């Protein structure tokens, strides 16, 4: 199982996290991963300057933190990372 967590504190919402959350929910359903992927929200992740922030947790793997997300990037993450298994490095915090 994979858990997608979108930071939805005030800073995240102000930066556009709500459309990002909606895009993840819609795209996970569209590609048929809703039995394998859970999309949830959390409060402050603590890196406000990089909002909207999305963390992906997979059993047995390191957490992946995507930053400065948009709905378009969210759809790409669903397709390439959640469905295809490939982290999109240029969207991660490790690329900063």
């Amino acid at each position: 199982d994979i858990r997608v967590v979108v930071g939805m504190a005030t800073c995240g919402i102000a930066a556009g996290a709500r459309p990002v959350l909606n895009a993840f929910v819609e795209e996970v359903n569209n590609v048929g991963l809703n039995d394998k992927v859970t999309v949830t929200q959390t409060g402050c992740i603590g890196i406000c300057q990089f909002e909207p922030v999305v963390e992906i947790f997979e059993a047995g793997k390191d957490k992946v933190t995507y930053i400065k997300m948009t709905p378009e990037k969210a759809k790409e993450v669903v397709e390439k990372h959640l469905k295809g298994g490939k982290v999109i490095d240029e969207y991660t915090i490790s690329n900063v």
Side-chain angles (χ1 to χ4, degrees), residues 4-82:
V4 176
V5 180
V6 180
M8 291 287 285
T10 307
C11 52
I13 292 169
R18 195 174 309 280
V20 170
L21 175 71
N22 293 339
F24 268 106
V25 170
E26 288 171 20
E27 201 61 20
V28 163
N29 286 330
N30 287 346
V31 300
L33 291 176
N34 44 335
D35 58 334
K36 185 175 145 184
V37 177
T38 305
V39 180
T40 61
Q41 59 187 44
T42 190
C44 184
I45 294 175
I47 49 175
C48 304
Q49 68 270 33
F50 298 117
E51 292 287 357
V53 175
V54 175
E55 295 179 323
I56 297 184
F57 300 90
E58 286 184 77
K61 296 185 180 179
D62 289 339
K63 171 183 76 174
V64 175
T65 303
Y66 286 109
I67 59 171
K68 300 187 181 204
M69 292 298 293
T70 64
E72 294 74 28
K73 287 180 181 177
K75 290 177 182 178
E76 194 177 342
V77 167
V78 170
E79 190 62 38
K80 292 182 179 173
H81 183 159
L82 302 181

